[in-house]
Amino acid sequence: YDLEINPNIKIATNLRLEKNTIDYSGQSVGMDYYYEPIDLPSVEHSNNFFMNGYRASIIIKRDKSLNYFGSIAKGYKSGGVNQQPYINDDNRNYGPEELHTFEIGMKYFSDKIYTNINLFHGLRSNQQISISSQQIEGDPNSFIFFTSNAGSGTIGGIELESKIKINKNPTINLSGSFLDSWTDKFTY
């Protein structure tokens, strides 16, 4: 939904709802200690996730060449199934991850210069991470890498993009960014 409050201020919003159903059935073949093919344990698993996201933003036109903007948003990444046949059932599933972001920035554009600068901060919950774990107590060969959910984390940073037209043909493109990412302490 877009709403133009006046010629210089525009508000835009959107909403997304998603139901994600996963039915996983996997069979695989491995090798035994004598390099003979063997059937590995089959994996049968199902998950249902209901997720939602949104975005609300404001754009303020200062003049023909300069805009300011800001937004609040919630995004997500669906959960899933770890397909490794020897992973224990406690680690088989992982749930959806959510990201709440806050951004502010400005865009400047003229015939010769375009510049976009954006500051952002995000709060992650049920963060999906890749970890390893010993699946069978006392068996050091049972370490398996898999996806799991950590408690929470944050991201933040700044992005800059600029194009400068020297004359008719040559253009200088500049871009840079800084990202600070953090995962809070968690146990598994």
Side-chain angles (χ1 to χ4, degrees), residues 7-77:
N8 294 328
I9 299 176
K10 180 180 176 181
I11 294 175
T13 61
N14 65 40
L15 175 66
R16 179 178 175 167
L17 304 172
E18 179 177 330
K19 182 178 183 214
N20 185 299
T21 301
I22 299 170
D23 291 316
Y24 179 80
S25 176
Q27 289 84 32
S28 54
V29 174
M31 300 289 218
D32 66 12
Y33 290 110
Y34 303 104
Y35 300 103
E36 297 291 327
I38 58 169
D39 290 332
L40 299 177
S42 63
V43 176
E44 306 284 334
H45 216 74
S46 296
N47 277 329
N48 285 302
F49 302 113
F50 181 76
M51 299 164 289
N52 62 70
Y54 62 83
R55 182 179 176 100
S57 61
I58 185 168
I59 300 169
I60 302 169
K61 295 179 183 178
R62 172 71 186 216
D63 55 42
K64 284 196 259 183
S65 298
L66 183 62
N67 289 344
Y68 298 105
F69 60 89
S71 71
I72 298 172
K74 176 189 172 202
Y76 58 85
K77 182 168 39 168

Side-chain angles (χ1 to χ4, degrees), residues 52 88 95 108 125 139 150 164 166 177:
N52 62 70
N88 74 37
Y108 175 81
S125 58
D139 181 357
I164 303 166
I166 304 298
S177 62

